[in-house]
Amino acid sequence: MGMNKHINRRTAIGGAIAAATGIVAAQPASARQGYPKKPPRRGEYVIRGGHVVSVDQEIGDIPRADVHVKNGRIVAVGEKLSVRGAAEIDARGKIVMPGFVDTHWHLWNSAMRPFMLNGDPDRGYFNVTNVLGPHFTPTDTYRATRLALAEGISAGITTVHDWSHNVRSPEFADASLRALVETGIRGRFSYGWAQRGPLDVPMDVEGIARTKQRWFADADTTNGLLHLGVASRNVVPGQSPRGAISIELAHEDWGSAREMGLPITLHASPAGLVTLLEEEQLLGPDVQLVHPTLTTAAENDIVAERGTVWSMSSIGEAGRGPAEQIQYYELLQAGALLGLSVDSSSIDSADMFSAMRILYKMTTNRLGPDTGITHRHLLELATIDSARSLGLGDEVGSLTPGKRADIILVNQLDPNMAPPGDPATQLVSLAQPANVDTVLVDGRILLWRGELVDVDTEKVVRDAQQSAAEISARAGWPA
Ligand SMILES: [Zn+2]
């Protein structure tokens, strides 16, 4: 991110910025003075002349097409749309596609990057978050969440599932939600627990109820963009570095979540866990399981039958060793609903291009090239399938008239992308976050020509650095 990207933009885009009044032709970089620094306001505009990858079965790809957006909603997608009086965004040389939908991401720990040290087991992900998590304040969570969102939006992610497993008091949930609302992202906030908190008491039902009342009683509080969930503690004792609750306590916690009408999410990689949850009759369409790397064929069928969804974090899961393999192909065959996810941006990049790429390669490597899995499947996984898995399939995940305008523009003419060929191949094989040019969430432009809008990126970074230093000082660790 940051400076490299900035320079990259200046040279590669060449000033092809649309004024609110009409398309401005591509200009040399030196002629950029006088062009609007700010994007068009939320309202009505047409994204003109891009290579539309709608991920909508009926619309498909259209090599040169327009997308008409009004009041946060997609009005029309097609060639040479006749629209009068709307602002125009020049999308020539760019892929226009739905934003990426992340389905599981611990945004709170992104500020822990300085403490991760490859090759030192004490400085691995679990130990760092376990040791430093208890020393967080709500301010630290707010800053880390802002940092993660700055990364995510710059990388084309328009929906996140904030899997918040260091909620030490309701004020931590407030801090996360304030960052999410201020940033303008769409998604789910799943209220979890406190790192190193007690494992023999129920979850913070009161805090969850308070959060529900404060932030979700009126949809306008989150601009209609967020919904609430519950992140469950692990339920198989002895198999998680974070510890686990008993199955009896899981019944109690999940029962409370269901009484409040909240979806449940669970890290579920241990072998046999799906069988246990099925025996306990805990599975349902309101449950998301994370990390399908050790499931059996029978378990894959159970999950599909119950309507339970899986989230796959391919970048992290790729490093779990030969015994753990992502059951992507098998779960697709079983008919399960699947999503892609970032997991932990303290150790892995929030890069959905890489997440798609690595999952494609791992699947091909494991099962050979004849599975029928193509780049298109990965693109669907990262957009519409992920949206469906969060219950947002009717709202976002494809460029379909009537859906909310969560749209990204990806530059096809950057050196790593040009000359442009098949867009799915470009996106899965070649693209990187630096190619993301413009990001809209609900019709609001959050990234404009590679720069975050209304976010002081330098301050966000500085604040995260300060938090990292303060947390480390409070913990007296690492020495
Ligand atoms: Zn996770």
Side-chain angles (χ1 to χ4, degrees), residues 72-303:
R73 198 174 286 283
I74 298 169
V75 178
V77 179
E79 291 174 331
K80 296 187 179 139
L81 294 180
S82 166
V83 182
R84 293 199 190 285
E88 307 222 350
I89 296 173
D90 184 357
R92 287 173 296 173
K94 294 174 180 68
I95 291 166
V96 180
M97 62 174 281
F100 292 118
V101 177
D102 157 76
T103 59
H104 144 249
W105 184 357
H106 312 292
L107 287 92
W108 70 270
N109 68 36
S110 70
M112 298 295 90
R113 288 167 183 157
F115 312 112
M116 306 294 173
L117 185 58
N118 181 253
D120 181 347
D122 283 348
R123 303 273 296 272
Y125 173 70
F126 282 104
N127 202 47
V128 168
T129 49
N130 261 326
V131 170
L132 296 181
H135 297 277
F136 267 63
T137 66
T139 299
D140 299 321
T141 293
Y142 170 79
R143 289 167 167 175
T145 304
R146 291 274 288 174
L147 179 71
L149 290 171
E151 180 188 11
I153 291 162
S154 301
I157 294 173
T158 52
T159 297
V160 298
H161 177 192
D162 186 0
W163 216 107
S164 196
H165 60 358
N166 195 31
V167 185
R168 314 196 66 78
S169 72
E171 287 72 30
F172 284 77
D174 291 340
S176 291
L177 283 159
R178 189 157 66 85
L180 291 162
V181 170
E182 281 178 9
T183 313
I185 197 100
R186 188 184 304 279
R188 176 183 299 174
F189 173 78
S190 279
Y191 194 117
W193 65 98
Q195 288 296 310
R196 285 195 165 166
L199 295 165
D200 55 355
V201 298
M203 67 182 189
D204 182 10
V205 176
E206 232 172 82
I208 295 168
R210 169 194 174 282
T211 301
K212 186 171 183 244
Q213 176 58 31
R214 173 174 287 199
W215 291 89
F216 300 95
D218 179 352
D220 286 346
T221 309
T222 69
N223 301 310
L225 294 177
L226 301 175
H227 64 278
L228 184 63
V230 167
S232 170
R233 294 167 288 183
N234 293 65
V235 297
V236 176
Q239 290 197 39
S240 168
R242 300 199 194 283
I245 56 173
S246 67
I247 195 71
E248 291 75 25
L249 202 44
H251 274 286
E252 189 178 337
D253 283 1
W254 291 32
S256 301
R258 283 169 165 155
E259 266 172 40
M260 290 187 272
L262 302 176
I264 298 156
T265 180
L266 173 73
H267 284 132
S269 44
L273 186 61
V274 170
T275 303
L276 174 68
L277 295 173
E278 172 71 355
E279 282 166 8
E280 297 289 331
Q281 299 186 321
L282 281 167
L283 296 174
D286 58 347
V287 176
Q288 180 203 51
L289 303 176
V290 180
H291 303 314
T293 58
L294 287 168
T295 58
T296 63
E299 289 181 321
N300 294 340
D301 287 340
I302 290 169
V303 163

Side-chain angles (χ1 to χ4, degrees), residues 43-64:
E44 185 175 8
Y45 37 76
V46 188
I47 302 166
R48 289 274 189 210
H51 195 142
V52 169
V53 177
S54 71
V55 199
D56 177 295
Q57 297 288 350
E58 279 170 29
I59 298 169
D61 288 10
I62 315 175
R64 221 174 213 283

